[in-house]
Structures are given as structure tokens and as C-alpha cells.
Amino acid sequence: MLEKIAGLLGASPTQYTHLLQTEKIVEKRALKGKLAFNLSLIINCFFCFFVSIVVTVMVFLRIDVFTYTLIGITMSMTVVGLWTIPYFDILLSPTHYPVIAHTPVSSRTYFLVKLTKVITHTVLLIICSNLLPAIGGIWLRGEEVSKVKYIFPIVYLSIAFISSFFTIGVMTTFAGYLTKLYSKKSLRHIAQTAQFAFPVFFPTIWIMVHYIFPTSLTDSVIIDKLKIISKWSYILPTGWFAGTVSVFLGHLEWQNLILAALAVASTIFLILIPLRSIARSYSEYLSYLLEAVSKQKSELRVKTPLFAKMFRTHIKRAALYLTSAYLFRDKRIQVGLFAMLGTIAMFVIFFLHPELYRWWNPKWISNSYIFGLSPGFSIVFCYITIGFVDSFILPIRYSEHWKASWMLNIAPIPTKQDLWRGAQSTALLYIVTPCTLLMLCFAIILWKFEGIFYILPGLTIVLNYVLFYPRPPSGLPLSQEFILKRMVFSTLTPFLGTVLTVGTIVGIQYLTYKLGFWIYFGCYCFIVLGGLISFIYFFTRKPVEANLNA
Amino acid sequence: MISVSHLTKEYGEKKAVDNISFEATKGEIVGYLGPNGAGKSTTLKMLVGLLQPTSGNISVAGYSAETELLELKQRVGYVPEEAQLYEHLTLVEHLQLMGRLYHLEEELIAHKIVQLAKLFDMEAQANQRISSFSQGMRQKCLIMAALLHNPDVLFLDEPFTNLDVTTVTFLKSLLQRLAELGKTILYCTHILEVAETLCPRIMIINEGKIIADAPVADLRQQTNQTALNEIFVQLTETTGLDEKTDEAVRIVMEDTPNA
């Protein structure tokens, strides 16, 4: 069936089928063990399912079809937008393009192969995000669904699918058109980081839903507010698709008809004009990406870099500069850091907006029981810093340039641990230090000079997180083959482990606080001093390996 | 300088390198030839410590690969067959990395980088990222890195691939001068003309075994052939080339619609 669709869209069905099969085989073989992939997929689906439960709960609010669908589709488009970003890289990465660039494969065919791959990666997430809200819709109590309520799941699911593909289409268009707007030099960076702009567009609606999210499910004032706020969504695609669902369910009001018309027109427009145009020039676009994109400097300069004197061993220094160059230049690291900056921006928005502040009630962050005990603050500190560290350290393990690690293997390095220590030093210098200083500023604003006591528990956790983050099996940075799905899985284990550790430490602190000041004080000293001593001891400890054997 | 005895590398049932032994003295340039998959690169990888031999002994610059691997590595320069490099680094940063890995002082690294970049006509590209380099520039990058720490022994695996004629001529002359100064060079190649002019001694490996190890003149005498490519074909027992060519032409023409 896919070949027929490809043929209808102007691609060569035979080439399309074979290329798609090849892509699947390459990916399957690259993954080697399937366990990692399956686990990451299950966790992603679980997250989407959780989001869908939140949406389905709205059924109990006695809201109308439009508002319910609007919330569901907004969530779905946001989740699809955000969670497909890693997979979306399939479209933007010209990795395998040189293999087929000289063959008579049309630009459109290759584009469709890549787009199909993105869609197949996201289809399960779309189902998980929408299945429960679709079924839940049967129990909506609005008048307009009473007669046709059993059709609701089919209509909702169909429109949710179209809206999700619309999201992917808009993201593709967005990145594609950047190629025409910007010079080749800056193209790659801009195209890859700008993908965040579109999904972030939907969280603005999501924030609005948060803003009016009910404190009590029976509060009729809140339902009215929901209805008023939902009107704002008429200007967004989420509203257009929600209106389409209402129309299919027989709610033929003029607003819904206009919204449905907008949804149909925008989808047709998206397919016929921008996507078609990008498909036509996709090869050209990939060729651009393959070209040199860095800012070219022509003069010969050899600088002794910052921090050079700090590291007495040449090996640590070498690893520090290698990994710090990647920190500032590798697109995967940049995209990860960019996403984390987005999270911080969200926090700032929550803090600055007086209404949101009131509804969101972020006092849990600044709530303090006793000096050094603010569970919210510790959690936020650890979450942000560990998020940044993960964004850096994972691509330092799994790199597209992993084959270059031969040079680390032939070098006379007494212990591989020094190389990994260099990578850890980059994380400490360029990520943990600025994050700690930033959070220290917040702590000082909140608790004056006592603020330092609130920083220390989180800091010890973060330092030990960096220290005990699993080393690659080879012990070398940038040495493991880059496989996207394996990366997604690898980030979860240390992260979940740390979430548990943070929870446990904060819990212990709270329990000891309940038992009495001196017990709390002793425990605090034990956690902080123990954590710091452990970090210093293990970080500076001479390695066990006596000799490097290739 | 290089001493290899009974070196074997097995991949399951297959013997990539089968019980080879040879020696190369100080100041010698040895050409290491063989057909594709003969075991040339595998030998080199074992000599530089990238691969662990299944059995046998390796000694380079007086250091055993088994017990003194670090000392051995410090004295070895290696140009691999494939130019796999850290693409996000610039040429300067790449050479700095290699210098640090070989324990050179920062000042010495900086000085050598400037000089080498000038000599290899890479001044203009010195601060550009490797991702923007042509294959030839990458190859120069590998050669510069191999020479940076003044190694006693050079292992070169197809070092002239993608290089222009001027650079090849310069490098041939450079390698000869380095050999005169006492560096030992094991030169692995498919280009027989270069091997013939550069290497006084030739070793030929086929199916993991060394089948010839002698100066070019001796090989000519042994095989009654004058050109090295003919010697090579005879020693590697490559027969039926004409029949093979005829068959290939037939297949190619058969698949062409206009034929």
C-alpha cells in the first residue's frame, strides 16, 4: 500500500520500497540487541499514555466536545512535536546520502523514504497519546455527543492522526525553508536547533491549560473558564482540528465549520505547496548539509587554551580540550543543551507571570523546613544540572565520530581513566560550575547567606553523578557507535537512578528534621561531607589499571 | 628496530595473519605489499597496539608489545588506511590533541604545528574544522600527526592515498631523509611504483603469509621479471587474468540495453 501512495505522490514505488527496506535493515543491524530499543520505546509510550490519562480525566468535567478535543489534540501535537525531535533528525542528517547521491533516485523518492521512517517511528507514540482520550470521549456529557457518541473514538483518532502528521509536516517545512533563508555556513546549526520552535509553540497552549487547570473537578467556574480560554485556540492549528472533530460529530455551528475548513485547507496547502517544494529540492538540501558549514578562519593561530595549566597530566588535558570542543560544536550536544535552556525558560515564565505564579504555586521550590532543607530547591537544582550534564555526556559516549577513537588507542596512555576524567572535567567546568553558580544566586536571593547550605546537598549529588556516570566499555570518550535509539535508552538508567537517590536523600533529610535538630544536623554533615569526600577521593584516586593493553 | 616472530591473528576459523616473522633494522624502509585482504593492515594494527595478536611476539624500538606497550607506542608513528578523524576539531586542535597524547609540552606542540602546517601547505586551513577538509587534506593531517612526536618507527598504511603529485614527491623525499637519519619505516601499499622507488626491500604477504622478503633486485632475479607488478602477480599466483577480463566485458555489455 505504501508503494501505491508513494507512486501517487510522484515517487518511484520500486526505489521507494527498496530504499525503505534498506533503511530498516541498516537500523536493525546497527541496533544489534533489541532489548535497549524495546525498553526505551516502552518508556516513551508509557509517558504518552500517562499524558493521555491526564487528558481523559477531563471527561468528568462536563465540558463540551470542542474543549475536550482541543485539550486532547493540543497534548497530542505537543507530545508528538517534542518526542519526535530526536527521530526528526532522520530527515536532517545526511549520513547515508552520499551512498545514493549519484544514483538516479529522485529527490522526492528519497524524501518520502525519510518521511515514512519518521512517521513509523512516531506512530506508536501517537496511538499511546490518543487511544485513551478517544475511548474516554464516549462518556462526554455534552448534548452534541449523546446521539453519535460511539462514533467519537473513530473520528477523534482519525483527526488526531492527521493533526500529528500535520505537526511533523510543519516541522519538516520549517526546517526545510530555513535552508533557503540562511547561508550554507549557518544552515545546519540553525535548521537543527530551530526544530524546537514549533513544538514549543504548543506548550504555550499547554501553559494556558495549566493556567486554568481545575483545583476541583466539580468547580463549574473553571469549566466556564475552560470554554472561554478555548476560544483563543481558534487561531492555532489545535483549534482547527478540534473544530473538525465537532463537525464530524454533527455539531455544525459556523465557528466549527470555519475551523474545519481551516484544518482541511492548511493540511492540503501544507502537502501541496511547502512539502512538495521541499521534496523536490530535498537532494539539494542534503548536499548543502554535507558541505562545510563551520566559520572558516584562514590565519594560522595556535593558542594555549584556558585551563591549560590546571591539568598536570597531558592526557587529562587532551581529553578536556577534545570533549570541550565537542561541547561547543557537536550538533547533538547543542540540541540537548538548547532543549534544557528551553526548560529553564519555562521555569522563568512560570516565575515571572503573576497569574501563572498564582496557579502553578511554585512556592514548593522555595519552601524551607530548616537551613539546608528545601526538597523543591534540591530537586530543581539536580534536575536542571543533571539534564545539562546528560545532554553533554551521552553524545560524548555515543558519537558519530567514534571511528576516530583509534588515535586514543594507539597513543601511549598509561590509563584510559585519565581520558574519561578529562571528559568529566569538561562537564564539571563548563556545566556543573555555571549551573551551581546560577542556583547559588537564586538560593542567596531566597535565603541570603544561608543559601549556600541549600546548594550543598544538591551539589554533592551532582558531583557524584558526574563521577559515577557509567564509563563506556572501552573507557574512551567518543568511542561508541552512535545509534539514536540506544542513546535514548542509555540516558534513562543513570537518570532514574539519580531521581531515586535525590528522593532518598531528601526523604532522609526530612525524616531526620522531624526527629530533632541535632540528628538533622549530623545527617546533613554526613551527606554533604560524605558526598564531597567521596567525590574528591574517587576523582583524584590513582587508577587501578597499571598498563593500557590494546 | 622492528622484530616480529611467529605473529598470528585469527578471527574464528580464519587466519588473517598466519605465523609471520620478519625484522627491520634501523634506517630501513620496508615495502609491505599484498593483495586486498592479505593481512597487511592487520599486521600494522598489531604492531601499533590497535589489535591484540592471537600469538607471536612483537618488538618495536627495543620494546615488547606484550610487556612494554606504552614505551613502544611512544616511539611509533602511525598513518592508518582510513582517515577517521574528530571532525569537529580544527587541524591545530587535532595536532594539539595528538601532541598531548604523546606527552609533548605545549610550547613544543605549538612550535611544531606552525612549522608542519607551513611545510605541508596547510597554513590557510590550520584553523578550519576537519569536517570541511578534502580527503587529501585529511591525509596530510594524519601524516603530520604521525610525525609530530618524532617517532623512531613509522608505520604507514597507504599514506599517499588522495595526495597530489607535489605532496607525494615531497613525502617520498622526506621519508628517505628520515630513514637516512635512522628512522625505520614499514610502508604498506598497493601502489607498486611508489614501493619500487621508495623501498629498497619488499615484503609480500598473501593470505596471511609472507611469500617474499628481499630487495627488489633479488626479487627480479628470483622471478625473472623486471617490473614489480609482474613480480607481484607471479608471486601471488594471480592467473587467468585475460579470461577474467573477457568474462567481465561480456557481463558488462550484456547488461547494457544498447548492446
Side-chain angles (χ1 to χ4, degrees), chain A residues 295-354:
Chain A
K295 199 180 172 189
Q296 308 294 326
K297 293 166 191 159
S298 56
E299 74 277 23
L300 172 55
R301 290 174 295 107
V302 184
K303 313 183 275 189
T304 305
L306 197 67
F307 308 124
K309 305 286 174 196
M310 269 177 66
F311 295 89
R312 269 175 290 174
T313 69
H314 293 75
I315 307 301
K316 273 186 198 168
R317 199 186 303 163
L320 173 85
Y321 291 115
L322 172 65
T323 51
S324 60
Y326 269 70
L327 171 68
F328 294 110
R329 295 172 197 169
D330 188 84
K331 65 179 164 77
R332 292 184 201 288
I333 299 177
Q334 299 267 299
V335 166
L337 296 178
F338 199 76
M340 280 309 297
L341 282 173
T343 313
I344 291 178
M346 293 273 269
F347 271 114
V348 173
I349 291 168
F350 280 134
F351 267 112
L352 295 182
H353 196 291

Side-chain angles (χ1 to χ4, degrees), chain A residues 94-112:
Chain A
T95 319
H96 296 140
Y97 179 62
V99 182
I100 62 113
H102 61 283
T103 61
V105 172
S106 76
S107 191
R108 193 173 289 181
T109 307
Y110 197 50
F111 177 73
L112 275 176

Side-chain angles (χ1 to χ4, degrees), chain A residues 456-474:
Chain A
L456 288 172
L459 182 63
T460 54
I461 293 168
V462 170
L463 289 175
N464 284 287
Y465 180 79
V466 174
L467 184 69
F468 293 109
Y469 192 95
R471 267 201 299 170
S474 65

Side-chain angles (χ1 to χ4, degrees), chain A residues 292 296 298-301 303 314 317 321 326 329-330 401 405-406 408-410 412-413 547-550, chain B residues 49-50 52 69-70 73-74 84-88 93 96 100 102-104 106 124 126-128 132:
Chain A
Q296 308 294 326
S298 56
E299 74 277 23
L300 172 55
R301 290 174 295 107
K303 313 183 275 189
H314 293 75
R317 199 186 303 163
Y321 291 115
Y326 269 70
R329 295 172 197 169
D330 188 84
H401 306 148
S405 62
W406 65 267
L408 305 178
N409 274 315
I410 62 150
I413 302 165
N547 199 353
L548 178 73
N549 209 340
Chain B
L50 270 177
Q52 193 80 359
L69 189 59
L70 288 183
K73 285 180 170 185
Q74 184 67 44
Q84 300 288 355
L85 295 157
Y86 289 116
E87 308 263 329
H88 291 314
E93 287 165 345
Q96 279 180 320
R100 286 171 191 141
Y102 283 90
H103 310 283
L104 301 187
E106 293 289 327
N127 289 100
Q128 287 180 10
S132 69

Side-chain angles (χ1 to χ4, degrees), chain A residues 367-541:
Chain A
N367 265 351
S368 167
Y369 296 97
I370 192 170
F371 79 95
L373 177 56
S374 169
F377 186 81
S378 293
I379 288 165
V380 169
F381 176 36
C382 289
Y383 168 74
I384 288 176
T385 316
I386 287 171
F388 275 115
V389 169
D390 276 343
S391 305
F392 161 73
I393 215 157
L394 208 61
I396 285 296
R397 282 187 60 150
Y398 298 96
S399 172
E400 283 172 303
H401 306 148
W402 63 280
K403 281 186 180 170
S405 62
W406 65 267
M407 58 182 90
L408 305 178
N409 274 315
I410 62 150
I413 302 165
T415 162
K416 292 172 185 178
Q417 188 173 290
D418 276 350
L419 281 167
W420 191 243
R421 286 278 180 269
Q424 288 172 326
S425 303
T426 303
L428 294 173
L429 275 171
Y430 293 102
I431 296 173
V432 175
T433 307
C435 284
T436 308
L437 289 174
L438 182 75
M439 291 306 285
L440 184 63
C441 291
F442 277 118
I444 286 170
I445 291 167
L446 290 170
W447 300 293
K448 307 264 175 354
F449 289 106
E450 267 185 30
I452 195 154
F453 294 109
Y454 292 84
I455 281 287
L456 288 172
L459 182 63
T460 54
I461 293 168
V462 170
L463 289 175
N464 284 287
Y465 180 79
V466 174
L467 184 69
F468 293 109
Y469 192 95
R471 267 201 299 170
S474 65
L476 305 171
L478 302 164
S479 63
Q480 278 184 283
E481 187 180 357
F482 170 79
I483 300 163
L484 188 71
K485 286 170 183 171
R486 194 193 284 170
M487 272 181 72
V488 173
F489 166 71
S490 300
T491 191
L492 290 168
T493 318
F495 186 79
L496 291 176
T498 312
V499 167
L500 280 175
T501 313
V502 174
T504 310
I505 288 179
V506 168
I508 291 169
Q509 274 189 291
Y510 184 76
L511 277 176
T512 51
Y513 152 73
K514 285 282 180 193
L515 291 172
F517 174 80
W518 289 107
I519 298 172
Y520 168 77
F521 184 70
C523 175
Y524 179 90
C525 291
F526 178 77
I527 290 168
V528 171
L529 292 175
L532 290 175
I533 289 167
S534 138
F535 172 75
I536 293 165
Y537 172 73
F538 286 108
F539 195 72
T540 54
R541 191 174 68 152

Side-chain angles (χ1 to χ4, degrees), chain B residues 192-221:
Chain B
L192 302 178
E193 290 80 11
V194 179
E196 200 168 8
T197 54
L198 189 68
C199 314
R201 177 181 157 199
I202 298 286
M203 281 198 298
I204 299 178
I205 183 170
N206 191 26
E207 293 176 355
K209 289 183 175 157
I210 290 177
I211 53 168
D213 181 0
V216 182
D218 290 4
L219 289 175
R220 283 196 178 108
Q221 218 170 19

Side-chain angles (χ1 to χ4, degrees), chain B residues 28-218:
Chain B
E28 199 174 10
I29 305 181
V30 182
Y32 196 43
L33 316 181
N36 292 332
K40 302 185 297 292
S41 296
T42 308
T43 313
L44 254 63
K45 281 178 184 168
M46 285 191 282
L47 289 172
V48 298
L50 270 177
L51 280 179
Q52 193 80 359
T54 309
S55 63
N57 296 313
I58 296 167
S59 166
V60 179
Y63 295 101
S64 159
E66 205 173 349
T67 54
E68 299 155 306
L69 189 59
L70 288 183
E71 288 83 356
L72 182 152
K73 285 180 170 185
Q74 184 67 44
R75 282 152 189 87
V76 161
Y78 173 57
V79 175
E81 192 180 12
E82 280 182 88
Q84 300 288 355
L85 295 157
Y86 289 116
E87 308 263 329
H88 291 314
L89 299 186
T90 63
L91 171 66
V92 168
E93 287 165 345
H94 170 71
L95 294 175
Q96 279 180 320
L97 169 73
M98 295 309 283
R100 286 171 191 141
L101 291 175
Y102 283 90
H103 310 283
L104 301 187
E105 290 306 321
E106 293 289 327
E107 292 75 20
L108 182 64
I109 297 172
H111 172 72
K112 283 203 171 193
I113 289 171
V114 172
Q115 301 306 319
L116 282 171
K118 278 181 189 166
L119 286 168
F120 280 80
D121 294 323
M122 292 286 284
E123 280 173 287
Q125 292 82 26
N127 289 100
Q128 287 180 10
R129 290 193 202 167
I130 290 169
S131 56
S132 69
F133 282 11
S134 68
Q135 291 299 321
M137 288 175 185
R138 284 162 191 259
Q139 199 63 28
K140 284 184 186 179
C141 201
L142 289 172
I143 295 167
M144 283 192 263
L147 298 171
L148 192 74
H149 60 287
N150 187 22
D152 295 331
V153 181
L154 278 167
F155 293 109
L156 311 175
D157 198 348
E158 299 286 1
F160 299 157
T161 313
N162 299 309
L163 292 178
D164 58 72
V165 181
T166 321
T167 314
V168 170
T169 315
F170 161 64
L171 275 174
K172 274 158 73 177
S173 159
L174 173 67
L175 292 177
Q176 276 164 341
R177 290 284 299 277
L178 288 174
E180 282 164 24
L181 290 167
K183 311 276 183 208
T184 306
I185 300 164
L186 188 65
Y187 180 88
C188 196
T189 186
H190 291 290
I191 311 164
L192 302 178
E193 290 80 11
V194 179
E196 200 168 8
T197 54
L198 189 68
C199 314
R201 177 181 157 199
I202 298 286
M203 281 198 298
I204 299 178
I205 183 170
N206 191 26
E207 293 176 355
K209 289 183 175 157
I210 290 177
I211 53 168
D213 181 0
V216 182
D218 290 4

